[in-house]
Amino acid sequence: PSTTQGGGPVTTTSMHLAPPGRTRQWALRVLRLPPAYVATLALLLLAAWLRPQLLSLPLLLLILRQAAPLGLAVMGQSLVMRARSIDLSIGGVVVAVSYILTSGFLSMSTGMALFFCVLLGVAVGAVNGVLIVRARASSMIVTLAMAMILTGIVIALSQQRAPGQAPELLRELALLRLGGIPLPVLGWLAALVPVALWLRYSVYGRYLDAVGANPKAAALSGIPYLRVIFLAHVSSALISVGCGFILVGFVGVGSTTLGQDLALNSLAAVILGDVNFGNGRGGMAGPAVAAFMLTFLFNFLTSLGLGEPGRLMLQGAIIAVAALAYSLGKRQTG
């Protein structure tokens, strides 16, 4: 049988074909989502089956607290990657912050030590930025060298004066809860939301997108693209200082290896969050979800009895998958 609508026949065959069309549209929308969204959903479903206790509210809040340093690092990494750059100096900045705050090498109050760490972050970001935009050096080489220099200095100084206990202020803040939510999680969200809105609606955000899309065209159009890249590196270094504050408060003591995996994990999280070199499709939300996903994954595998060697192999595999996803995405868009 057939009916008429608007003067034309509509057969039951065409009516049955509509739902599959809508299904394909939904499938395409899902495929366009950042990989971190789908991976997080799959991981939560798997955890609900194998380790449902991980989905309890207290443990989820604890995992979110653990994810806060990586979540902040991901914000800085997202900025530089959207400008077609990269920042591998995060671990070195965190180690330096840890030593300044815990060694007592600089005889000053906690407030002054925190301020000195902020100045260090500005200096590191400025050096990275100048070498990248003025000397046109590779961002990977410059920032990796910076991380090695900072770590080497801390190791050398620690031979004379070892890292000690973290300031009581940071330890108390790391354990503080407001409304049952850990303060580091609230701090992460308090930084994430304004930065996301700023990048979406500010002139700098539009400049950043333009530089990422085509640096040469941005330069020809009068956009100060070198300044955009410079500010992205300074911002990333300052965010790394914040990561150091949170990690030092968590651990409670200084360490020469603190935060060494943040750079590569943040790189993987950014790519899984659908932010690649010159492309910010995932915004700030995608990398943030990826940061939570990676932290939840490591906790999930620990609950299954996976040791440190297995965790390191998994980290390497995730980074490799993220690099492959970036390569495939670049081929499709290129």
Side-chain angles (χ1 to χ4, degrees):
S2 63
T3 59
T4 60
Q5 182 177 356
V10 179
T11 63
T12 55
T13 303
S14 64
M15 292 174 64
H16 288 307
L17 289 177
R22 288 195 295 268
T23 301
R24 284 194 296 270
Q25 291 178 357
W26 279 105
L28 290 174
R29 290 180 182 178
V30 171
L31 291 175
R32 293 192 188 103
L33 290 173
Y37 289 11
V38 179
T40 300
L41 178 59
L43 181 60
L44 292 176
L45 291 175
L46 185 61
W49 177 39
L50 297 177
R51 289 292 186 272
Q53 62 271 23
L54 286 176
L55 300 181
S56 64
L57 183 59
L59 284 180
L60 282 177
L61 289 175
L62 179 61
I63 293 172
L64 277 171
R65 193 185 76 164
Q66 294 174 353
L70 178 57
L72 287 177
V74 160
M75 291 171 55
Q77 195 71 263
S78 297
L79 288 174
V80 295
M81 287 185 67
R82 288 174 67 167
R84 295 178 178 256
S85 192
I86 193 173
D87 188 0
L88 299 180
S89 64
I90 300 173
V93 173
V94 170
V95 167
V97 167
S98 168
Y99 186 78
I100 291 171
L101 293 177
T102 64
S103 66
F105 183 80
L106 300 175
S107 300
M108 58 179 65
S109 65
T110 300
M112 287 300 298
L114 294 173
F115 180 69
F116 185 82
C117 290
V118 172
L119 292 180
L120 173 68
V122 173
V124 169
V127 172
N128 287 340
V130 167
L131 291 176
I132 292 168
V133 304
R134 292 299 180 187
R136 304 300 174 93
S138 166
S139 60
M140 181 178 295
I141 294 176
V142 167
T143 56
L144 180 60
M146 178 62 72
M148 296 175 67
I149 291 171
L150 291 173
T151 303
I153 291 174
V154 168
I155 292 176
L157 292 176
S158 64
Q159 304 299 317
Q160 305 296 326
R161 192 180 185 95
Q165 194 173 34
E168 184 178 358
L169 174 64
L170 292 182
R171 286 184 278 122
E172 290 178 353
L173 291 177
L175 298 175
L176 184 63
R177 290 174 177 257
L178 297 178
I181 302 177
L183 184 62
V185 177
L186 295 176
W188 175 19
L189 294 177
L192 178 65
V193 174
V195 170
L197 294 175
W198 177 59
L199 290 177
R200 185 178 181 87
Y201 297 108
S202 69
V203 174
Y204 180 82
R206 292 193 289 271
Y207 282 176
L208 191 63
D209 291 337
V211 171
N214 193 325
K216 292 183 179 179
L220 292 174
S221 64
I223 294 176
Y225 73 102
L226 295 179
R227 192 183 309 165
V228 169
I229 299 173
F230 176 84
L231 290 176
H233 275 280
V234 173
S235 300
S236 179
L238 284 173
I239 292 173
S240 299
V241 172
C243 297
F245 291 164
I246 295 177
L247 283 173
V248 169
F250 281 171
V251 178
V253 294
S255 171
T256 58
T257 60
L258 191 65
Q260 290 299 291
D261 57 350
L262 274 180
L264 291 182
N265 283 345
S266 66
L267 183 63
V270 169
I271 296 176
L272 292 174
D274 205 14
V275 173
N276 299 323
F277 294 99
N279 167 36
R281 278 195 304 265
M284 281 292 171
V289 172
F292 167 77
M293 184 268 293
L294 290 178
T295 308
F296 188 93
L297 177 62
F298 296 147
N299 280 272
F300 175 63
L301 294 177
T302 299
S303 71
L304 295 178
L306 186 68
E308 183 66 16
R311 190 180 72 85
L312 291 174
M313 288 187 289
L314 177 65
Q315 282 182 288
I318 290 173
I319 293 170
V321 169
L324 179 61
Y326 162 67
S327 178
L328 293 175
K330 187 177 181 180
R331 290 179 184 177
Q332 292 176 356
T333 57

